[in-house]
Amino acid sequence: MKSAQGRIKPSKRKTIIRSVLALGLALASVSAVKREDFKTCSQSGFCARNRAYADIAKENPQWASPFQLNPSSLRLNKGVLTGDLINVQEDKQPSDKPALAFELHLLDTDAARVRINERSPIHTRYDGVQDTVLVKPYGHATEGSYQKLGKDENGVLSIQYGAQSQNTVRISSAPFKIEFLVNGVPTVLLNDEGLLRFERLRNKEESKVEEEGEKQEDEASSDPLVEQKAGGNDIEIAIEKSEQEKKLEENLWEERFKEFTDSKPRGPESFGMDITFSGINHVYGIPEHATSLSLKATRGPDAPYTEPYRLYNLDVFEYEGDNPMALYGSVPFMLGHSKNSTAAVFWMNAAETWIDVEKSPEDKNGGILSWIKSKKAVHPTATKTHWISEAGVLDVFVFLGPTHRDIFRQYASLVGTTALPQAFSIAYHQCRWNYNNQNDVAEVDAGFDEHDIPYDVLWLDIEHTNGKRYFTWDEAKFPNPTEMQESLSSKGRKMVTIIDPHIKKDGDYHVSKEGAELDVYIKNKDGSSDFDGWCWPGSSQWIDFYNPKARDWWASQFSYDKYIGSTKSLFTWNDMNEPSVFSGPEITIPKDVIHYGNVEHRNVHNLYGTMFHSATAQGLAHRDETNQRPFVLSRAFFAGTQRFGAIWTGDNVASWEHLELASPILLTIGLSGIPFSGADVGGFFGNPDAELLTRWYQAGIYYPFFRAHAHLDSKRREPWLFGEPYTTQIREAIRTRYTLLPFWYTLFQEASVDGTPIIRPMFTEFPEDEAVFGMDDQYMVGDAILVKPVVKSAVVRSNVYFAGNEKWFDIKDYSVEQGPGFKDIDSPADKIPVYQRAGTIVPKRERPRRSSKAMENDPFTLVIALDSKGEASGRLYLDDGESFNYEKGDYILREFKVSKGVLSSRKVDEVASGKNSFAEKAGGLRIERLVILGATAPLKKVAVGDHTLEVNCSQFGGSYVCTVKEPQVTVGKDFDLSFA
Amino acid sequence: MKTHSVCFPILATLALSVAVTRANVNNNTPRGVSPSNAKLYVPDSGSNWSCLDGSKTIPFSAVNDDYCDCVDGSDEPGTSACGTGRFYCANIGHTPSSIKTSRVNDGVCDEECCDGSDEYDGQTHCPNVCDEVGAKAREENDRIQSIQNEGARLRRGFIKYGKANKVSLTNELETLKGQVDKIQETLSDARAKLDVANEAQDAYLEGSKNEREAARKQQLEPIIQEQTKRLKYATEVRDMLRLTLQNLKEKHNKNYHDLAVKGTVSGFDEYIVAQGEKTETAQEDSDISSDRQFDALVDETSVVLRDIGTLHDLLDGMKRDYNTEYNDEAVLVAVKVTEDFEVTWDSSRLDFVDVEHLVLPEELAIDNPEAEKFKDETDLAQETFNDASEKQSKVQEGIRDIERKLNMDFGPDETFAQLVDNCFDFKDTEYTYSICLFGDANQSSHSSTHLGNFSGWEGDNYDIQMYTGGAKCWNGPERSVKLVMSCGTKTEIVSVAEPEKCEYLFKLQTPAVCPVPQDEAEDEGDAEEQEQQSVEGVQQEGEEHIQKHDEL
């Protein structure tokens, strides 16, 4: 393999001239992203080896996995099955090498976990991901909640488990294979393709001998006489190794990429395994990639991609669409869905990971379809995936649902749900690299008021600091940051400043100095000196957030007396935390640098950003005694990031393509457990024209995290700068977001409890409608709002799919569409298609205000969309929006329901004991208006108790829109309101 | 800007407001309605009321019932229910004002409502600070007033100067134009004499033409050959540097955001653009004389040498400042090329200039008294012609300069004539900015960057000027300056900002935009005597603070 490209080191002028001429002639059009800065699978040793193994297996129809479980070693105890796993090819004698340890855990949440690790390796394999990613030690299925069904005639062991005993796991010993079945239907299969491969740790010397020995054999094998030497009992060795087989032994130790060398002192330690989603043709998840929601194949005939999906957090400049390249964050969670089944896996590994996806038209296991094949003549399908990680322990969770809601809950119970955010943080954020000085900030702030556009947060990028020293201010530009924040705060607004994990190497900079004194920086590969790299401030060091002392120290930097010029209305933005290292391989830190506890970075790379994010959130939460929720935005992410704050999709581009890309990327991140995410409205790089910017605002108001941001070199684009009609269109869009804030906040609360995504792919709301399985150009906000962004220039008609058999109501003019089916809908410059689904109730606050804080005491409107049975339901969650007091029960959660002509409001799940001081304060907030959509006749009388209310109805198409003024009810008390 | 209307009340309005506020309190005008609109908020005989747009009739009790009934929002002038109307604040002790009803009871004490009447729901207490704010505003108003008075006095001086200047320029122009014919006549005579002399000389020389040209050709041939060689070498070097920069531009790692590299690449882009503007005219013409052939070669060589200098400056700038830690291959190659270039160039450059700089030798003299005579006569005619020509261009230049000034838009009353070509500096922490009014604007630190030339006024108020067409930015537009003026007693730049990259905002205070009361401006006769005195003062002061262009 030629991973390192030749560097030009000319020594004479003529040579230079020649080389430059050659380079000059070779100049071709250069794409925006510098692809050559980032590895392909073939440039990443372990990926190439495991993929070669898969090639060998797939080319051999007789292929069988060499792994076997020793049947006599299997023990099932308290929900855990253990046993010895042997590779019969490598371990000629069972005593040659210790067997691998196999574990299968049945969890109390109906999930299962499979682990494969080395027994007593020469170094400890890193197994610490669980300590930071799992929220708490989970419970195992109790004895009695599962049942060993014994072995069948082929020696296959079956265990039935799950709350309704709906799940079965079948363990085959030889060859090793695990099948998960739901109601008897094979759904998730491990090692069904036999791609399990596990590189055991070894000594370099021993390995060299082996390699040399093999080389000699290679050379000698052309001599037929030598074949005899190998002996007749092992034909494999005697046969000349194929190209693929040679690849299995390449780049085991030191590895080069461009001018960088990865020293790999522990040598090869990767592993891989195939996971088949049987009977399932669509798989989703494994963010972050700029690709479609339903993942495209990377292997097999007609596969659109040739590279596997890569999970390796990287700072990618102007990334491209439709590409499986790694981006800023990683979540090794994949969900498969078909009309009849839904299942997911979580591959718990934070090292570099590659995933191949192959769509198989033939499913030898049949899946659900073989089960129902007698009824329908459909071709069974399967999605075969191949997971490859560089280091650590093979550790995979399997979730069988049965519904996707169950899966989200099961997954969230392991890695956590989204933290309930500060209420302001789901409103509109105004950002730019950079707002230049205090005066600039004041003028932008005043601009919003002058143009009557609401916003909540003004952001300051790196230029606000003194020479990129975080926690400091450029005093010439920001002489009085406290006053500046207080001025914003007086209007209910907040400020966010950027804090990155690279610390400028400067003995006079207090953070740098303290960090050195406390010895909290990441170390070079020798483990003694501090790693030194380049980022914004020049020569910098990176905090080792794996060191508990470093985390606490970092958190303490956010106290008001340390972060001079910070106030309680200041929050934080963590950028460059992949980490981005300008001078490093693939713009990140070398893999062989050392963390606390002598842990090599390669084991934990994808988690680094999250550890930083978490320490920052901890710092904000504890900077004073007021029990406030933190708000921290991060660029890098991993499974579990949702517990610490929001993320955004990094440095996108002001292009229609990137506007279009945002939907699938955000939907994918959301279904992978991180609902609080957004893409920069307007696009970071470049200059959007007025139409693109307006369309992006219209789409962006339906991102969970809604921020506009722009690059230093781009033109100003505050919402009013393009003039009319754009200012009015953008104002209208942002105000729409503000009217829907109660609905969004309620969705966040729901997500914080059960892990349900906030913006949802169509298939999660319409799981039986195959037409929507691949759909990612329209989506749902919660269960109620359908959004179809306009992502092309000059488009004024949009083809919208109305799913289900119910009506849909335009949220602006209440016009009605009937599902199911596609329909062309007007989408003129001032609106995109947004519809409320029949059967839902959406709580709103309709008064235009300048910030979300200013809406705190405003009354509510309920928009009730009746379904064909005259029913609807919805929720409203409210709390103080900023503290953790909700944990003590200080909140209001109401369920609204319309059934049989009665609108009822009932308290849900409120902590009964103790005093609910929030309900006392806010319980009197009125519902000032009801808007009832979908009535088949005008409402004649609406009454609460004996009191008859004013109601106005107007006909709209085949149904009526009725408005009830002042229904005389509040959000604090139960009520029943009848209409006829 | 917005606060100005609030902060600087006119006393008469204030008195009025006190009176009407009382009225407001006394009758039953709904909350938030201004006295002038009170008549619109009266119930009809049936205690009903119609929305102001006439779209709907509602009970009068529904006005300000904290529910939005009217599409136009007119039923809720005192609550936030509609959020689209205006809420009136009486602001006793200051001046009345109004805010958007969306800001009523929003928890913010709006500055515009110094009486705190906008927050009445008990959630937020806003103290009445109108006395204090009013006093401050009046004080500020006085201060502004005195500046404006003084500014107006100074501006009258500007106007007077401008008008007088226009008259004197017009006179001067007439005088110059009067001279044109006579000068032209003299010039024509001189040219005729010169032509006669030249013709006589040419006729004399024609006889020995071939002989002389052959001699000249022989004389120049080795020099031309040498120069051709040098040009070829220089061109190769130039092309090598170009390729180096082209390669750097395409291949450098943009992730590093190395400003030295970015600067060099942008400079190269500018070079390429400039290059494209030059039309290639170098044509081989075998018929041209050896002299012209040599001249063409020298010209071409100097162009290439200048290019080499430019390209080397770009590379050298990067070489000095680039970040050595990035190990960006494309940058390293460029630096290496530059280093190698410098070593070899320093010695080879001597060939071009120092040691044996090629010059066109004198034609071998022909020793002949007759020839001498022709030459003397021609020289004399030439000298006479040159003198006349110089005189003519001087007058033409004078006319152009005056016409330029006369054609400039100094405002309807010629106020800005006083300021034309006056230059002002502003220093901030990094740069010194300078602008010469109606001329150009620059930014300088160690080197100077052109920000633009005066391109005109913006709007009709004669208080915003645009300077455009400055040096092009990396990845951005040509630099430009928007100069925004406000009234002050002294002409000076008070701030410079760069709200977005390469688009600068200069704020200039000057008496030239101070409001001059209408009656004074029109009634100049009466003020004549008074102004006579002040003009001197103005001019003195003007000279004190106005830095002349020459001094820069």
Side-chain angles (χ1 to χ4, degrees), chain A residues 24-331:
Chain A
L25 293 172
L27 290 176
S29 72
V30 180
S31 67
V33 66
K34 291 198 72 172
R35 287 195 194 195
E36 67 276 17
D37 283 349
F38 304 103
K39 289 183 188 175
T40 59
C41 177
S42 63
Q43 289 167 322
S44 184
F46 75 94
C47 185
R49 295 196 298 274
N50 281 278
R51 231 189 180 198
Y53 191 70
D55 288 338
I56 293 168
K58 282 172 195 284
E59 282 160 17
N60 179 359
Q62 309 303 317
W63 179 262
S65 173
F67 282 94
Q68 296 182 359
L69 276 174
N70 178 353
S72 64
S73 67
L74 291 175
R75 301 277 179 279
L76 178 60
N77 183 26
K78 293 183 175 148
V80 183
L81 177 74
T82 57
D84 291 346
L85 191 60
I86 304 152
N87 182 336
V88 291
Q89 229 173 45
E90 283 178 16
D91 311 335
K92 320 264 161 18
Q93 308 292 323
S95 58
D96 263 9
K97 283 177 185 164
L100 298 175
F102 162 79
E103 294 167 25
L104 168 71
H105 301 241
L106 302 174
L107 276 54
D108 57 1
T109 54
D110 288 9
R113 178 184 192 183
V114 171
R115 281 170 57 81
I116 297 174
N117 196 359
E118 274 189 81
R119 280 199 215 285
S120 55
I122 58 168
H123 318 287
T124 314
R125 293 184 79 104
Y126 182 71
D127 195 15
V129 176
Q130 54 188 333
D131 302 332
T132 43
V133 166
L134 299 183
V135 267
K136 54 177 191 286
Y138 54 80
H140 284 102
T142 52
E143 302 260 7
S145 69
Y146 58 89
Q147 197 190 354
K148 192 165 155 183
L149 299 177
K151 292 181 182 172
D152 67 7
E153 65 276 15
N154 299 319
V156 176
L157 173 68
S158 293
I159 307 168
Q160 200 169 34
Y161 70 103
Q164 269 79 47
S165 299
Q166 72 278 25
N167 302 332
T168 308
V169 54
R170 289 157 45 89
I171 301 111
S172 308
S173 293
F176 169 67
K177 166 177 165 181
I178 300 180
E179 297 163 282
F180 290 93
L181 300 86
V182 182
N183 295 322
V185 181
T187 304
V188 174
L189 318 173
L190 309 184
N191 203 32
D192 185 48
E193 299 281 298
L195 305 188
L196 176 63
R197 186 169 177 277
F198 203 99
E199 292 174 338
R200 289 195 257 211
L201 290 161
R202 63 201 80 176
N203 289 318
K204 195 165 185 180
E205 293 68 30
E206 164 196 336
S207 163
K208 258 188 191 152
V209 172
E210 278 176 25
E211 278 176 46
E212 273 164 24
E214 277 160 9
K215 260 183 210 156
Q216 281 169 9
E217 281 163 17
D218 282 352
E219 287 159 14
S221 62
S222 57
D223 181 352
L225 289 175
V226 187
E227 263 182 48
Q228 304 300 326
K229 194 186 77 179
N233 58 345
D234 203 338
I235 303 159
E236 297 261 332
I237 293 171
I239 295 170
E240 188 176 348
K241 284 197 174 182
S242 71
E243 281 303 307
Q244 301 291 14
E245 281 167 332
K246 281 181 197 158
K247 279 188 189 165
L248 297 178
E249 302 298 331
E250 280 174 346
N251 284 309
L252 296 178
W253 298 89
E254 198 175 85
E255 208 172 326
R256 281 180 61 78
F257 176 67
K258 301 189 86 173
E259 67 264 42
F260 304 98
T261 301
D262 179 2
S263 66
K264 284 170 66 182
R266 293 169 204 224
E269 51 178 321
S270 79
F271 51 86
M273 184 172 72
D274 60 280
I275 300 176
T276 298
F277 290 85
S278 180
I280 289 173
N281 199 27
H282 288 273
V283 293
Y284 313 89
I286 55 168
E288 182 180 22
H289 302 101
T291 183
S292 52
L293 172 69
S294 176
L295 296 169
K296 295 176 184 171
T298 63
R299 282 193 85 107
D302 308 324
Y305 296 150
T306 52
E307 285 290 302
Y309 293 94
R310 185 182 190 202
L311 296 180
Y312 193 60
N313 294 358
L314 291 173
D315 178 2
V316 182
F317 178 87
E318 293 185 351
Y319 55 85
E320 293 179 0
D322 201 17
N323 193 317
M325 278 172 74
L327 294 177
Y328 311 92
S330 308
V331 185

Side-chain angles (χ1 to χ4, degrees), chain A residues 470-726:
Chain A
Y470 305 107
F471 303 102
T472 71
W473 302 84
D474 181 327
E475 288 177 13
K477 296 171 181 165
F478 297 92
N480 202 335
T482 308
E483 197 180 286
M484 170 174 66
Q485 290 156 50
E486 279 163 1
S487 163
L488 293 176
S489 176
S490 74
K491 291 182 228 164
R493 291 172 181 151
K494 322 285 177 193
M495 178 162 259
V496 166
T497 49
I498 195 164
I499 308 270
D500 290 351
H502 49 260
I503 302 300
K504 185 179 175 69
K505 214 172 163 182
D506 171 3
D508 295 330
Y509 170 34
H510 70 281
V511 180
S512 172
K513 210 170 73 184
E514 279 178 37
E517 282 161 9
L518 285 168
D519 193 19
V520 292
Y521 295 122
I522 294 179
K523 301 271 186 276
N524 280 318
K525 64 180 183 226
D526 60 20
S528 55
S529 57
D530 290 340
F531 170 76
D532 183 343
W534 279 73
C535 206
W536 298 122
S539 180
S540 303
Q541 298 179 314
W542 275 259
I543 313 265
D544 179 7
F545 292 99
Y546 278 88
N547 183 342
K549 190 172 70 181
R551 289 200 297 272
D552 290 344
W553 166 74
W554 181 257
S556 75
Q557 298 301 315
F558 290 85
S559 67
Y560 304 125
D561 59 341
K562 302 267 327 202
Y563 187 176
I564 305 300
S566 69
T567 71
K568 64 181 173 25
S569 66
L570 184 71
F571 296 85
T572 304
W573 173 16
N574 283 169
D575 195 4
M576 314 295 281
N577 53 334
E578 296 73 24
S580 178
V581 178
F582 294 163
S583 52
E586 303 190 89
I587 333 288
T588 190
I589 204 163
K591 283 175 173 170
D592 51 11
V593 299
I594 301 292
H595 291 277
Y596 178 77
N598 203 25
V599 172
E600 227 193 342
H601 182 74
R602 95 180 59 249
N603 294 293
V604 295
H605 175 84
N606 287 344
L607 249 171
Y608 177 79
T610 306
M611 299 296 284
F612 171 49
H613 194 186
S614 143
T616 304
Q618 186 194 330
L620 288 182
H622 298 295
R623 61 181 164 172
D624 61 25
E625 302 302 311
T626 57
N627 201 28
Q628 297 293 294
R629 294 172 220 168
F631 169 73
V632 186
L633 177 75
S634 167
R635 191 169 71 182
F637 59 83
F638 191 70
T641 284
Q642 59 268 27
R643 311 200 300 264
F644 313 113
I647 64 106
W648 92 107
T649 60
D651 298 345
N652 61 354
V653 180
S655 68
W656 290 97
E657 187 204 9
H658 271 258
L659 168 57
E660 186 173 4
L661 266 177
S663 303
I665 298 180
L666 295 175
L667 289 169
T668 301
I669 293 170
L671 74 82
S672 307
I674 307 177
F676 197 7
S677 68
D680 281 338
V681 170
F684 179 62
F685 291 109
N687 294 307
D689 62 17
E691 184 196 9
L692 174 59
L693 185 68
T694 306
R695 289 304 198 188
W696 212 319
Y697 270 102
Q698 289 167 346
I701 62 170
Y702 298 103
Y703 299 161
F705 175 65
F706 173 34
R707 181 182 78 155
H709 186 31
H711 188 269
L712 186 67
D713 287 331
S714 64
K715 288 186 68 64
R716 286 278 177 144
R717 51 168 106 136
E718 282 72 50
W720 54 88
L721 290 179
F722 286 81
E724 295 299 348
Y726 307 107

